[in-house]
Amino acid sequence: MKKRIISALSVIVILVTASCSTDLEEINIDPNRPEAVPTYGIFNYANKAIMDGTRGPFSSARIALPWVQYSAQRNYTEEDRFQFRQESNTALFNSYYLAANNYKSIIDLNVDPATKDEMSAYGNNDNQIAAARIMLAYTFSQLVDTYGDVPYYSYGNSDPDFQALQLDEGILKAKYARQEKIYTDLLKELKEASEMIVLTEVVFTKGDQLFQGNAEKLKRFSNSLRLRIANRVKGIIPGAEDHIANAITSGVMLSNADNIGLTYENNTVNPSPLYIAFFIDNRNDFTISNTFVDLLKGNLGNNSADPRLQKYAAPITATLPNVGSANYTETEDLSQYIGMPYGIPSALAPSQLPNTSLFSSNILKTDYTEYFMEYAEVEFLLAENNNWNQINYIKGITASMDRWGVTSTKIAEYLLTLPVASKENVLTQKYIALYMQPTEAWSEYRRTGFPNTILKPGDSYNLNIPFDGEATYIFQALNNLTEMPTRLNYPVNSAQLNGENYQEASSNIGGDLLTTKLIWDRN
């Protein structure tokens, strides 16, 4: 087969060579395709590739979003019960590497003597490199948190095990770097990238959808992301505690103005992934879950009724067209907010659908913002590293509520009923604040075991509507699992495309299984 392909390509090359002349060169130039793409365009494309590929109806809403019980399936409930689609997993994996390759292109263009002067028209060269390094760190942190050992690339480290994105150097089958090496390098890369930022210069001269050209905002994101990663691997990776202290000293996010997110366009051409799913593709397959709604109502956990409930969910009287046009009224009557039962058999789903809440119009809208990281998370990280500090705990809750549009009066009322900061209470509030950022919530659950309100396989819970005389159901997981998956399998084509390195990685991590724990998973 390979010989046939090579032969066919050779014929094409010969024919094209024989047919071309200097007279035809001008005709072969497409006037609508620029010869040089501005780096801010590459940057924006990569950012959107990540969000489109990781926060959509399959990559997110049929994997991590229901696993952490932010959502539940209205049908096809096997996906609540850990029976995910392998093609969704492959697409997720590929989305990260597509984005990573584009971030690397920005670095290459700003380093290459032949192009760096031209690229300086789009922003300070060092700042562009720093931005790409930071987003590469974000991308690979998501990959290693999800799969374990993965092919890895580092701008600042020539380790021979870091072979990803090296096609131009003839590396077609990259090794899978060990988790320990990846996390160590991620922390180093974020520190170095932060230190190379020129604060008196812009990041990109225009078109910067993440940082608006603000170098200080880029630096705070870098340090905050380093704080997140170092906190995850403290006690595992040598020097992680030093990175925590240094990141904080160097300057982390200080307010919601420092939040980093991608806001989609307010139209139906480039709307948010979930808007496309619900209103363009007409896939009303999933919605907010019963356990999460009950937590926000104060029926689970230690907290009283949370005013974010009305920001996260629509009342049961709101139809999908109502949500799409934001044509409904929030209510203080909490009986009007009911989540879809999580993890029920598919046969039960039709009986439970009536009078369940949809996602709110704050989420199902064209110009929704998908966040890479928020200030609220930083305060919860600070609370943990300050011995479950009460002040940081309150700041995190306040920041989250403010971001979602809860009034200052309701925030103050809620804080009056707040239980004192503790490991359980801080991490539960962090979980609530990470709503719609399911991969991070999944990582935190694997690391800590909180919130303890998550329904586990074998647990029973109330049905919304009794069925066949039964008022409760038992959450029965699939894939022979007795707990939430602790990682994703490598894509199914890994063994065929990169067999030797795949087999080595599988052996190194303890098996390519959903139950294999990553190095920081202590739950």
Side-chain angles (χ1 to χ4, degrees):
M1 185 66 180
K2 184 180 291 186
K3 290 181 179 178
R4 290 180 183 175
I5 293 172
I6 293 172
S7 177
L9 286 174
S10 300
V11 172
I12 292 170
V13 171
I14 292 169
L15 289 174
V16 170
T17 304
S19 301
C20 291
S21 70
T22 54
D23 295 334
L24 294 178
E25 284 179 6
E26 228 176 277
I27 295 174
N28 289 330
I29 296 174
D30 184 350
N32 296 315
R33 291 173 62 88
E35 293 183 8
V37 177
T39 46
Y40 63 80
I42 301 173
F43 190 69
N44 289 335
Y45 178 80
N47 299 334
K48 187 172 184 295
I50 284 184
M51 288 310 188
D52 287 353
T54 66
R55 301 288 177 91
F58 289 93
S59 56
S60 173
R62 287 173 169 80
I63 302 179
L65 197 72
W67 290 0
V68 295
Q69 297 175 29
Y70 289 148
S71 71
Q73 296 296 121
R74 291 161 52 88
N75 45 43
Y76 315 121
T77 64
E78 289 79 10
E79 292 163 328
D80 283 357
R81 298 154 61 204
F82 314 142
Q83 186 67 59
F84 62 95
R85 308 180 191 203
Q86 287 296 339
E87 58 268 29
S88 298
N89 180 28
T90 300
L92 176 69
F93 188 84
N94 291 341
S95 294
Y96 284 124
Y97 282 100
L98 171 64
N101 194 60
N102 280 286
Y103 294 132
K104 179 179 180 293
S105 295
I106 295 170
I107 293 173
D108 293 342
L109 287 166
N110 280 278
V111 170
D112 190 339
T115 55
K116 65 179 296 185
D117 289 344
E118 181 183 355
M119 295 305 110
S120 67
Y122 306 125
N124 178 276
N125 291 123
D126 283 346
N127 284 354
Q128 291 187 58
I129 294 169
R133 291 175 78 176
I134 291 163
M135 293 310 298
L136 274 168
Y138 172 86
T139 303
F140 280 108
S141 72
Q142 297 288 290
L143 278 163
V144 68
D145 284 353
T146 301
Y147 298 97
D149 296 8
V150 290
Y152 179 72
Y153 165 81
S154 173
Y155 165 71
N157 191 329
S158 58
D159 189 307
D161 286 344
F162 297 168
Q163 297 182 348
L165 314 182
Q166 302 293 320
L167 291 176
D168 55 343
E169 297 182 17
I171 299 176
L172 304 179
K173 297 181 178 181
K175 293 184 67 174
Y176 289 58
R178 299 298 298 266
Q179 295 166 67
E180 293 86 349
K181 281 192 171 185
I182 294 175
Y183 285 115
T184 299
D185 191 70
L186 288 173
L187 295 172
K188 177 198 73 70
E189 276 293 280
L190 287 166
K191 184 176 187 293
E192 290 183 2
S194 174
E195 291 171 347
M196 76 182 296
I197 295 170
V198 182
L199 293 176
T200 56
E201 299 277 351
V202 296
V203 183
F204 293 98
T205 53
K206 61 179 179 179
D208 183 355
Q209 296 173 355
L210 290 194
F211 307 105
Q212 298 77 47
N214 189 324
E216 180 66 37
K217 190 172 184 179
L218 173 64
K219 188 179 185 72
R220 292 192 181 282
F221 174 55
S222 180
N223 290 324
S224 299
L225 181 58
R226 182 155 58 111
L227 173 61
R228 171 198 279 183
I229 296 170
N231 189 66
R232 180 152 298 142
V233 298
K234 63 187 178 185
I236 306 295
I237 298 298
E241 289 80 3
D242 292 337
H243 277 287
I244 290 172
N246 183 264
I248 295 169
T249 300
S250 298
V252 293
M253 294 178 179
L254 296 176
S255 73
N256 281 333
D258 292 327
N259 291 348
I260 302 300
L262 177 66
T263 301
Y264 284 80
E265 295 179 10
N266 189 18
N267 55 47
T268 56
V269 178
N270 288 305
S272 67
L274 291 188
Y275 183 90
I276 292 173
F278 280 82
F279 297 103
I280 296 178
D281 294 342
N282 296 313
R283 299 201 66 97
N284 187 6
D285 297 336
F286 50 92
T287 190
I288 193 166
S289 77
N290 57 347
T291 53
F292 192 53
V293 167
D294 286 348
L295 175 62
L296 295 171
K297 283 183 175 182
N299 297 337
L300 294 175
N302 300 327
N303 299 298
S304 60
D306 191 315
R308 282 170 290 191
L309 171 62
Q310 289 88 341
K311 304 301 178 183
Y312 291 174
I316 58 177
T317 52
T319 64
L320 190 58
N322 293 150
V323 172
S325 60
N327 184 25
Y328 66 88
T329 303
E330 296 176 0
T331 175
E332 299 300 312
D333 181 358
L334 300 189
S335 69
Q336 296 300 297
Y337 296 89
I338 299 175
M340 182 70 187
Y342 174 82
I344 58 176
S346 288
L348 265 179
S351 70
Q352 303 303 304
L353 274 177
N355 295 324
T356 52
S357 293
L358 298 168
F359 293 121
S360 76
S361 59
N362 295 311
I363 296 163
L364 298 184
K365 61 180 182 177
T366 53
D367 57 344
Y368 180 68
T369 300
E370 293 283 4
Y371 284 94
F372 291 94
M373 193 169 188
E374 295 182 52
Y375 162 61
E377 180 189 343
V378 172
E379 287 293 350
F380 292 124
L381 288 165
L382 294 174
E384 178 173 348
N385 284 283
N386 290 331
N387 196 29
W388 310 110
N389 181 271
Q390 181 78 10
I391 294 174
N392 296 126
Y393 168 59
I394 291 173
K395 284 183 175 180
I397 295 167
T398 303
S400 174
M401 290 188 171
D402 181 65
R403 200 276 275 183
W404 283 94
V406 177
T407 66
S408 57
T409 299
K410 288 185 177 180
I411 294 174
E413 291 173 351
Y414 182 78
L415 294 178
L416 287 175
T417 68
L418 193 66
V420 69
S422 66
K423 180 177 182 179
E424 177 182 349
N425 293 334
V426 170
L427 292 173
T428 299
Q429 283 292 338
K430 185 178 186 180
Y431 165 75
I432 294 171
L434 286 170
Y435 183 54
M436 305 310 289
Q437 298 178 59
T439 301
E440 186 58 26
W442 178 41
S443 294
E444 283 297 273
Y445 180 76
R446 288 178 287 161
R447 180 178 75 92
T448 69
F450 288 102
N452 56 18
T453 57
I454 291 282
L455 193 65
K456 298 178 181 178
D459 288 350
S460 64
Y461 209 76
N462 292 330
L463 289 167
N464 289 347
I465 301 170
F467 184 79
D468 281 351
E470 297 293 333
T472 62
Y473 68 98
I474 296 175
F475 173 31
Q476 296 179 331
L478 301 176
N479 284 325
N480 297 315
L481 291 172
T482 58
E483 62 177 344
M484 189 186 303
T486 52
R487 64 181 286 274
L488 281 180
N489 301 113
Y490 294 121
V492 291
N493 59 3
S494 300
Q496 289 75 39
L497 297 178
N498 193 5
E500 184 178 343
N501 290 320
Y502 162 77
Q503 293 295 342
E504 181 182 9
S506 298
S507 175
N508 285 340
I509 66 173
D512 184 18
L513 306 171
L514 295 174
T515 54
T516 299
K517 292 197 172 189
L518 304 187
I519 59 172
W520 44 260
D521 186 344
R522 301 171 180 178
N523 174 24

